[in-house]
Amino acid sequence: MEGQKTSAAAPARAMENLDRAVVAVRSSSTDVLVSWRLLGLDPDGIGFNLYRSTGGASSTKLNSEVLTGRTNFVDTTADLTKSNSYRVRPVVDGKEQSSSKTFTLSADHAQEPAVRIPLQAGGPIKFTWVGDLDGDGTYDYVVDRQTSPQSIEAYRSDGTLLWKMDLGANSTNQTNIEPGSSTIDVGNWDGVTVHDLDGDGRAEVAIRIANGVTFGDGKKFTYSDDTHQFIAILDGRTGAARATAPVPDDYIADGPMGARFGVGYLNGSTPSLVAFMKNRVGSGDFNLMYTAWQFDGSTVKQQWKWLRGDQDAPDGHNTRIVDVDGDGKDEIAEIGFVLNGDGTLRYSLASKGVVHGDRFYIGKMDPDRPGLQGYGIQQNNASGLREYYYDATDGKMIWQHSADGVTDVGRGLVGDIDPRYKGMEAWSFSGIYNAPTNKLTESDTSLSPWPSLGIWWDGDLGMELLNNQRIEKWDPDNPASSSSLPRLESLYKYGAVGVGSPGNPTLVGDLMGDWREEAVYPNADNDGLVVFTTDQPTDTGLYTLAHNPAYRNAMTVKGYLQSHELDYYLGNGMSTPPRPNITYTSSGS
């Protein structure tokens, strides 16, 4: 089995009751690619019939035989001068089931691999989160506004504004080292996430707040000073505060704490909010505190608190919340240590020579090795350590690469980009290595793709590359420098604007259509999101990545934006992934 083996006694985790997310894009002057979700609990052998209505006329079935084994279809017969609406009906044991919602491609629609979500005009956007705010099975959007003061806004999937929250005067200090007490989304901090935390079928918005914020329903939160901070759980439909709780004040003498938020299933069945928080001691070291919280629909309660203190536990700029030991319960991973779901230290990599670094990954990188694996890079490690690969279950080091001198490696990535070698490749700036074998896949170490972000896009089982608004493909038979890779799409041609010097998207995730990923960017006027979705067919059918526990957790985390990983191996030569151990929440609509 090439997936993470989960204990047979593990409870099923309650996950989103998603719809089919039918999407259609013009892939040529004559063709339309239509794709939709295969859900995590769909029965084996499920098929689909695809229907099209042109110009409001009655629907016509497009397939002559039930579509099986994949969830996409190229429509070559549509009259594109008229609007075309698409929907699917599952077929189980030869019987058609209820229809999906429809997706309408407007008349004379542009030929582009994108869906556009209108927003109200506003300031620059750094991050986008998704969640089913209204309980209809479709992902809705939450965005930040990088103004002074800052704000966040929530929109339905069609761009209807739901609410706006003003983060107040304590969000005007936007330094990335010691930000204001209600500042979000600067440096490696976020302090916001979106998830259905109480299992009612509707997503909440969790945010770290302080004195002076105004919630989405217009009510202002006040406190006697500007340093104390609070966890707030907001109603996804209204932005009203459903619950608040004080952040522990162990380190308050050193000022407010920056925050990174994520969601994990620490007990295996229900979600917890996980908060990574730091502040600086004078101009030197940092205090680090982890807390976990549960929201029951009316109150948010702290489950536990972990203080680093004098423990040697190196942190980085991102968090991974994933089940590293296969017991069905999530652990919390930093670049140099892992906490158990109860907040106790599982292991530290400090004794293996690991220090702070910018990027790391935990996933199924070796399909033949039990459990999950980790890969990380180093920043100014005095020993010369550049990158390392380890067993994520117990922290056992598998290989390390060092060199003379001290340097900030800065970027690193994992993914199957070379079908000649089984398993994922891992690389930074020391050459492309096949992670399971520790072998260079390209002898000329100057030839490698820039290790920015990965994305599944073109339909084969290898990973594509998302770099500065370009989707690229590494060709091991024709290796090239990172500036000369074959390009599948130039996203800036469609009006997308990248964030910061890396040209990052605001979100990458499996948001609609089949299992391939979407990349979300703001447009130049910051009055819309451009959601890039593939226009290329595939014969591969996989359940939506959003129903994979490890992947869905990863979608809740920001920090330094990094690619998501699954708990099974997705790559060339993969086996059929195991069915996820999940249940669906009841619809909240």
Side-chain angles (χ1 to χ4, degrees):
M1 181 67 69
E2 295 182 352
Q4 168 81 320
K5 291 184 178 180
T6 301
S7 167
R13 61 181 68 195
M15 296 186 71
E16 295 154 311
N17 192 359
L18 297 173
D19 63 17
R20 295 290 171 187
V22 177
V23 64
V25 293
R26 285 187 65 172
S27 53
S28 73
S29 60
T30 58
D31 295 351
V32 176
L33 179 72
V34 187
S35 70
W36 57 94
R37 284 189 183 119
L38 184 69
L39 302 174
L41 298 183
D42 278 340
D44 293 339
I46 190 173
F48 296 90
N49 289 327
L50 174 64
Y51 294 87
R52 182 190 68 212
S53 168
T54 300
S58 58
S59 295
T60 301
K61 188 170 72 170
L62 298 182
N63 51 296
S64 57
E65 297 182 355
V66 175
L67 301 170
T68 58
R70 57 189 172 93
T71 56
N72 64 95
F73 182 91
V74 178
D75 181 7
T76 62
T77 62
D79 180 354
L80 297 176
T81 66
K82 300 178 180 178
S83 66
N84 288 277
S85 298
Y86 297 91
R87 59 186 176 90
V88 295
R89 294 187 67 174
V91 179
V92 178
D93 295 331
K95 296 180 180 179
E96 272 198 332
Q97 310 297 304
S98 299
S99 176
S100 72
K101 301 171 189 172
T102 61
F103 180 93
T104 299
L105 191 69
S106 61
D108 299 310
H109 197 282
Q111 183 180 320
E112 59 180 11
V115 174
R116 296 178 182 270
I117 309 298
L119 306 178
Q120 292 199 351
I125 297 168
K126 181 178 180 181
F127 287 144
T128 301
W129 298 263
V130 293
D132 184 5
L133 301 179
D134 54 12
D136 66 353
T138 302
Y139 278 143
D140 305 299
Y141 300 89
V142 175
V143 300
D144 62 4
R145 294 290 189 174
Q146 293 295 311
T147 51
S148 185
Q150 297 173 313
S151 62
I152 60 172
E153 298 168 355
Y155 293 85
R156 283 201 171 95
S157 56
D158 63 0
T160 300
L161 177 68
L162 291 171
W163 51 267
K164 178 177 180 177
M165 177 179 180
D166 185 336
L167 298 184
N170 283 314
S171 69
T172 59
N173 171 8
Q174 297 175 15
T175 58
N176 68 332
I177 301 296
E178 298 178 279
S181 53
S182 62
T183 299
I184 61 170
D185 302 351
V186 294
N188 79 129
W189 310 117
D190 47 75
V192 182
T193 197
V194 178
H195 201 76
D196 180 5
L197 294 171
D198 61 354
D200 68 350
R202 293 184 294 266
E204 288 76 43
V205 178
I207 183 167
R208 190 265 283 114
I209 64 167
N211 177 50
V213 306
T214 302
F215 296 120
D217 62 351
K219 294 182 179 179
K220 193 168 185 176
F221 180 87
T222 59
Y223 193 73
S224 57
D225 64 62
D226 293 331
T227 305
H228 281 82
Q229 296 166 297
F230 298 79
I231 302 294
I233 307 299
L234 311 184
D235 188 302
R237 297 166 296 175
T238 67
R242 295 181 63 187
T244 61
V247 169
D249 60 2
D250 299 72
Y251 296 129
I252 199 164
D254 295 307
M257 307 188 81
R260 295 201 308 255
F261 279 6
V263 172
Y265 289 67
L266 307 184
N267 64 5
S269 58
T270 56
S272 295
L273 173 68
V274 176
F276 168 104
M277 301 184 73
K278 290 175 70 175
N279 61 3
R280 196 168 195 173
V281 183
S283 59
D285 294 335
F286 288 85
N287 301 306
L288 170 57
M289 175 176 69
Y290 257 113
T291 52
W293 308 79
Q294 279 203 317
F295 174 61
D296 64 6
S298 58
T299 59
V300 57
K301 295 181 179 179
Q302 182 183 310
Q303 295 172 265
W304 51 257
K305 173 180 66 179
W306 180 82
L307 305 178
R308 178 166 59 185
D310 59 1
Q311 299 174 87
D312 196 354
D315 66 289
H317 293 305
N318 198 304
T319 300
R320 303 277 174 179
I321 307 173
V322 59
D323 177 13
V324 301
D325 59 2
D327 68 352
K329 303 175 184 179
D330 290 326
E331 285 75 43
I332 302 159
E334 282 293 316
I335 199 165
F337 68 93
V338 173
L339 298 181
N340 292 306
D342 63 1
T344 59
L345 182 66
R346 183 177 182 87
Y347 62 79
S348 172
L349 297 177
S351 62
K352 313 295 174 58
V354 170
V355 299
H356 169 86
D358 282 1
R359 284 165 170 76
F360 82 110
Y361 306 86
I362 292 179
K364 190 64 176 173
M365 303 175 197
D366 184 346
D368 294 331
R369 184 184 179 95
L372 304 179
Q373 295 77 50
Y375 167 79
I377 59 173
Q378 292 285 271
Q379 178 177 319
N380 300 329
N381 191 315
S383 73
L385 179 64
R386 301 294 199 259
E387 57 186 356
Y388 56 98
Y389 178 69
Y390 60 102
D391 189 311
T393 301
D394 57 11
K396 178 182 178 181
M397 201 60 63
I398 301 173
W399 55 252
Q400 295 181 319
H401 297 155
S402 299
D404 294 336
V406 176
T407 190
D408 181 359
V409 176
R411 296 287 188 278
L413 189 58
V414 297
D416 183 21
I417 62 170
D418 193 333
R420 302 172 302 175
Y421 297 85
K422 193 172 185 179
M424 291 189 185
E425 280 63 56
W427 74 100
S428 56
F429 303 106
S430 305
I432 306 172
Y433 285 84
N434 176 250
T437 61
N438 193 23
K439 292 181 179 178
L440 279 170
T441 66
E442 169 51 48
S443 59
D444 185 347
T445 58
S446 70
L447 301 179
S448 64
W450 184 259
S452 181
L453 294 167
I455 187 170
W456 284 289
W457 181 267
D458 68 0
D460 65 20
L461 291 174
M463 186 183 76
E464 286 69 58
L465 304 154
L466 180 58
N467 175 28
N468 198 15
Q469 302 172 76
R470 304 185 300 266
I471 297 178
E472 301 170 330
K473 188 80 170 179
W474 174 250
D475 181 358
D477 294 324
N478 296 285
S481 64
S482 61
S483 61
S484 304
L485 298 185
R487 189 176 302 180
L488 305 182
E489 292 288 353
S490 298
L491 304 182
Y492 52 82
K493 292 182 178 179
Y494 304 101
V497 176
V499 176
S501 58
N504 276 341
T506 62
L507 171 67
V508 175
D510 181 9
L511 311 182
M512 59 185 67
D514 63 24
W515 58 274
R516 270 87 59 84
E517 293 179 294
E518 281 66 48
V520 182
Y521 293 80
N523 63 18
D525 293 327
N526 292 307
D527 62 359
L529 297 176
V530 188
V531 182
F532 288 98
T533 186
T534 188
D535 59 359
Q536 301 184 33
T538 180
D539 290 330
T540 297
L542 298 172
Y543 72 83
T544 176
L545 306 189
H547 273 163
N548 181 262
Y551 187 95
R552 186 63 183 92
N553 286 356
M555 284 174 61
T556 68
V557 177
K558 296 294 187 184
Y560 280 2
L561 202 64
Q562 298 172 40
S563 297
H564 310 321
E565 302 299 326
L566 297 112
D567 58 23
Y568 67 84
Y569 171 66
L570 201 170
N572 292 285
M574 69 179 289
S575 299
T576 301
R579 186 183 302 275
N581 185 24
I582 65 173
T583 60
Y584 300 147
T585 59
S586 59
S587 173
S589 58

